[in-house]
């Protein structure tokens, strides 16, 4: 009758990229809040580097540590809200790489980078 508790690692591994993105978001917004200047190009660089770090960490956990091939971590997580498998890992990698490239390209756009758009 009792429901067996889910180990914390099975919950955290699929959520690692989202937690990393939250940390990058809070870092960029706090830097934007406490710094001033006519052009804050460093926000775009911090965003791009943060997205690349999240992407590398996700790939290291997924493929490097073999979490994608481990049946404890693959499949639906959090009641089916997230799916952690090879396809989702590759798609998430493509989105994070595209976001970092877009952040770097937008550094040269006139009028952008004066507030926390990143």
């Amino acid at each position: 009758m009792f429901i067996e508790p889910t180990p914390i690692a099975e919950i955290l591994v699929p959520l690692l990229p989202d937690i990393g993105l939250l940390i990058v978001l809070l870092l960029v917004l706090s830097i934007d809040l406490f710094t001033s200047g006519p052009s804050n190009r460093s926000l775009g660089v911090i965003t791009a580097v943060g997205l690349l770090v999240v992407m590398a960490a996700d790939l290291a956990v997924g493929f490097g540590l073999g979490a994608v091939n481990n049946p404890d971590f693959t499949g639906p997580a959090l009641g089916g809200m997230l799916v952690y498998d090879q396809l989702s890992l590759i798609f998430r990698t493509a989105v994070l790489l595209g976001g970092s490239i877009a952040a770097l390209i937008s550094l040269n756009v006139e009028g952008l980078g004066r507030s926390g758009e990143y």
Side-chain angles (χ1 to χ4, degrees):
M1 243 3 218
F2 293 106
I3 298 174
E4 192 172 317
T6 305
I8 193 72
E10 290 181 23
I11 296 172
L12 284 182
V13 168
L15 282 177
L16 280 178
D18 299 322
I19 293 169
L21 285 176
L22 179 67
I23 292 170
V24 171
L25 168 98
L26 293 175
L27 178 70
V28 169
L29 287 178
S30 63
I31 288 174
D32 180 49
L33 181 66
F34 294 117
T35 60
S36 63
S39 176
N40 205 351
R41 290 175 52 100
S42 63
L43 290 177
V45 175
I46 292 170
T47 302
V49 170
L51 290 176
L52 289 175
V53 166
V54 170
M55 181 187 74
D58 192 25
L59 286 174
V61 169
F63 289 125
L65 297 178
V68 175
N69 298 326
N70 189 345
D72 291 336
F73 299 121
T74 57
L78 295 175
M81 288 193 311
L82 291 173
V83 175
Y84 191 75
D85 57 358
Q86 288 181 354
L87 180 64
S88 66
L89 184 64
I90 291 170
F91 182 74
R92 198 168 36 242
T93 301
V95 169
L96 290 171
L97 183 64
S100 63
I101 291 171
L104 290 176
I105 288 173
S106 68
L107 290 177
N108 295 326
V109 174
E110 207 51 49
L112 217 104
R114 300 200 174 147
S115 61
E117 293 103 1
Y118 297 103

